[in-house]
Structures are given as C-alpha cells and as structure tokens.
C-alpha cells in the first residue's frame, strides 16, 4: 500500500507526477496556493482549465502542469468553512477522494497535496488534517498504483497539525 509523507515547503517545487491545487469552482486561478501554482506553471494551465467548464465543490479535474516539474495539476475544490454543520468535512473528504481517483486514472504514482480549504476558505487545520489524512489512508487501499502521497504544508503550525494526525 502507498505511503503518506509530510513535508514543510512549497508545493510548486515538488517533483511528483501530480500536484493537487486548492482551486475554486471557476478553475481560472486565484490567490494562495492556486495563485502560486498558476504563476509558477505559466499560462498553459489556465488555457487548459478554461476548457473544463468549472468544477463542483468536492470534485477534482486535471490539467497538465505547464512549466512545473510535475506532469499534472489536479484542481480540487474544497468547501468554504461555514461553522461545520454544512457538510464541510464530507466535502473535504470528497475532494481528496476525487483527486486520488483522477491521479490513479492518469497513472500517477506520486501525488502532492496542499492543506486544502485551510487558507482563504477558513477550514480549521486540525480537523482538515484529520479528514485529509484519514481519507487518503483509506483511499490508498483501493488505488494500488499510487505509491506516495505527500502533504506539503506551508507553515510550521500546519506541519505540526498534520503530524499529530498521521495514521499509524
Ligand atoms: N505551497 C504549499 N502550500 C501553500 C502554498 C505553496 N506554495 N501557498 C499557500 N499554501 P489557500 P483554500 C497553503 O488559501 O483555503 C484561492 O484564492 C496555505 O498556507 O491557498 O482552499 C483559490 O482560488 C494554506 O495552508 O486555499 C480559492 O478561491 C493552504 O495552502 C481559495 O483560495 C490552502 O490555502 C481556496 O482557499
């Protein structure tokens, strides 16, 4: 079964088959990690994303990765935190499931995720870590082609939160 790794750093620098983007439903770019990925990858990503017709919350769609070291960007749309009673956790789980399904369909063996929804979208990082890691742990059992999922955390605090919820 594939392994889960944690790393503190910049996801745009990762040499993996696919990096996952914390996108919005329009898929045409934005701030945060989305902005960083589009800046580093160049205009090809946006040109391709334009053809995808947006993406629902909880779903994920792929483009190639332009100038990035990765081969693909999988644009996953996480939920906006509304207090916790609006299905946010399930939608966060869903976008991780869908991103891993898409990665497997594309033959990716290594995949890097940021902490989806924990920035502009306001999802509490402790709960996000639990959902993201728990979902990934379960999904790796059914996606035998995926050898490594790397969570790339930007801040020390996020890295520590993920470390505390790493499945044994
Ligand atoms: N590498 C890894 N993580 C990063 C990087 C990076 N280069 N840059 C930021 N982060 P956010 P969201 C972390 O706000 O909450 C955008 O405008 C950041 O510190 O990027 O899902 C989209 O277009 C945080 O921990 O994504 C959407 O409209 C995490 O990435 C909206 O924001 C996610 O923060 C999505 O909001």
């Amino acid at each position: 079964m594939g392994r889960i790794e944690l790393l503190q750093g910049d996801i745009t620098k990762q040499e993996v088959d696919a990096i996952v983007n914390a996108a919005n439903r329009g898929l045409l770019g934005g701030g945060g990690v989305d902005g960083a990925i589009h800046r580093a990858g160049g205009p090809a990503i946006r040109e391709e994303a334009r053809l995808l017709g947006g993406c629902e919350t909880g779903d994920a769609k792929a483009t190639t990765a332009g100038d990035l070291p990765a081969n693909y960007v999988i644009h996953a749309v996480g939920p906006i935190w509304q207090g916790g009673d609006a299905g946010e956790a399930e939608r966060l789980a869903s976008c991780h499931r869908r991103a891993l399904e898409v990665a497997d369909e594309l033959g990716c063996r290594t995949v890097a995720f940021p902490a989806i929804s924990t920035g502009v979208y306001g999802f509490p990082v402790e709960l996000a870590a639990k959902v993201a890691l728990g979902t990934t742990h379960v999904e790796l059992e059914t996606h035998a082609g995926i050898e490594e999922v790397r969570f790339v955390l930007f801040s020390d605090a996020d890295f520590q939160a993920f470390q505390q919820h790493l499945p044994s």
Side-chain angles (χ1 to χ4, degrees), residues 7-14 20-39 76-81 92 113-123 125 151-155 158 162:
L7 188 108
Q8 197 179 340
D10 180 349
I11 200 165
T12 66
K13 305 275 199 289
Q14 302 302 308
V20 179
N21 182 17
N24 57 53
R25 293 194 299 165
L27 297 185
L28 299 178
V33 70
D34 194 6
I37 288 171
H38 279 271
R39 268 195 306 280
V77 183
I80 298 172
W81 182 255
L92 188 65
F113 277 86
I116 298 174
S117 284
T118 67
V120 175
Y121 281 180
F123 203 110
V125 67
F151 284 87
V152 183
L153 293 322
F154 216 38
S155 73
D158 291 350
F162 272 69

Side-chain angles (χ1 to χ4, degrees), residues 4-164:
I4 298 178
E5 302 282 344
L6 304 183
L7 188 108
Q8 197 179 340
D10 180 349
I11 200 165
T12 66
K13 305 275 199 289
Q14 302 302 308
E15 296 189 3
V16 287
D17 295 325
I19 64 170
V20 179
N21 182 17
N24 57 53
R25 293 194 299 165
L27 297 185
L28 299 178
V33 70
D34 194 6
I37 288 171
H38 279 271
R39 268 195 306 280
I45 298 177
R46 191 184 154 101
E47 279 158 28
E48 250 185 86
R50 204 189 291 280
L51 305 174
L52 296 175
C55 183
E56 289 304 316
T57 303
D59 198 2
K61 295 184 179 181
T63 63
T64 53
D67 301 329
L68 293 167
N71 295 324
Y72 298 99
V73 176
I74 299 173
H75 306 267
V77 183
I80 298 172
W81 182 255
Q82 294 174 292
D85 295 329
E88 294 96 325
E90 174 45 34
R91 284 183 174 165
L92 188 65
S94 169
C95 78
H96 285 80
R97 269 197 299 275
R98 286 288 303 133
L100 290 167
E101 265 170 31
V102 170
D104 200 13
E105 280 164 19
L106 292 167
C108 299
R109 290 188 293 195
T110 53
V111 183
F113 277 86
I116 298 174
S117 284
T118 67
V120 175
Y121 281 180
F123 203 110
V125 67
E126 290 284 338
L127 180 57
K130 202 168 149 189
V131 170
L133 292 167
T135 304
T136 299
H137 184 68
V138 170
E139 287 303 301
L140 283 174
E141 288 175 18
T142 52
H143 296 295
I146 300 180
E147 294 167 4
E148 183 188 319
V149 176
R150 188 181 300 175
F151 284 87
V152 183
L153 293 322
F154 216 38
S155 73
D156 194 39
D158 291 350
F159 180 77
Q160 283 176 25
F162 272 69
Q163 220 169 18
Q164 274 170 17

